[in-house]
Amino acid sequence: MVLSFRKWDRRKVVADSIAFLLYTAYTGWIIIVYEKYFCDLAIEQVILLRLMSGMPRALLGFLCGIMEDAIERRMGDTAPRFLRRAAAGPLSLFSFQLPIYIVSALIMRASMEQMAITSGLYIAIDIVFGWSYAVVLARLRRCFGVSVEEQS
């Protein structure tokens, strides 16, 4: 997958960043609850882990939009557009978020079991809610005036 920044303008970067931040805002609380109560992380660990993984994700969230476009393009015309978006959203989300989370968790010295549980939860959340990221992303791009040609 080759990432191309040539076609990216500020409107697209802003729209994609907002879409990613909205997605993490309405799914992030689930991760926090699981980290605290099911992974037995101390509240300090949860806060530091959220800060360590949240900062790069917030600053680089627009890259998730680039990945979503690339995955959708790679799928070609094998399925209707809404199905391609529904599949590309979750794939781009967990392939973008998991490496950042795992590096942050390793720095925080979380156990392999804790990382496995939370990583599995990230994947499950992205499969269940990832389609909504694709919908919000498409809608925000339209609101910001990003043309269909620029989206792909």
Side-chain angles (χ1 to χ4, degrees), residues 11-12 14-20 22 26 65 68-69 72 81-82 85 130-148 151:
R11 294 171 301 149
K12 192 169 188 178
V14 170
D16 290 8
S17 297
I18 291 171
F20 184 76
L22 287 173
Y26 68 81
E68 199 256 353
D69 289 342
E72 193 176 330
R81 185 169 178 84
F82 75 93
R85 279 190 181 154
W131 64 271
S132 65
Y133 168 74
V135 170
V136 169
L137 181 64
R139 186 154 299 170
L140 278 169
R141 284 179 175 175
R142 277 195 306 275
C143 288
F144 278 84
V146 178
S147 69
V148 175
Q151 289 185 31

Side-chain angles (χ1 to χ4, degrees), residues 20 49 52-54 56-57 60 64 67 90-107 115 118-119 122-123 126:
F20 184 76
L49 191 52
M52 288 181 68
S53 68
R57 289 183 325 156
L60 300 172
C64 197
M67 291 175 70
L91 286 171
S92 65
L93 284 164
F94 64 74
S95 60
F96 174 72
Q97 293 186 98
L98 274 182
I100 294 171
Y101 172 78
I102 290 171
V103 168
S104 300
L106 287 171
I107 291 170
M115 284 190 290
T118 307
S119 295
Y122 263 115
I123 292 170
D126 291 341

Side-chain angles (χ1 to χ4, degrees), residues 13-77:
V13 169
V14 170
D16 290 8
S17 297
I18 291 171
F20 184 76
L21 289 173
L22 287 173
Y23 177 79
T24 56
Y26 68 81
T27 60
W29 66 271
I30 301 169
I31 298 288
I32 292 170
V33 170
Y34 267 80
E35 284 175 342
K36 174 66 180 125
Y37 296 105
F38 297 103
C39 294
D40 292 328
L41 289 175
I43 193 69
E44 298 83 20
Q45 285 180 302
V46 172
I47 292 169
L48 285 172
L49 191 52
R50 292 294 102 221
L51 288 173
M52 288 181 68
S53 68
M55 291 302 286
R57 289 183 325 156
L59 295 173
L60 300 172
F62 71 95
L63 293 175
C64 197
I66 294 174
M67 291 175 70
E68 199 256 353
D69 289 342
I71 291 168
E72 193 176 330
R73 263 195 318 275
R74 183 79 175 188
M75 291 174 152
D77 292 331

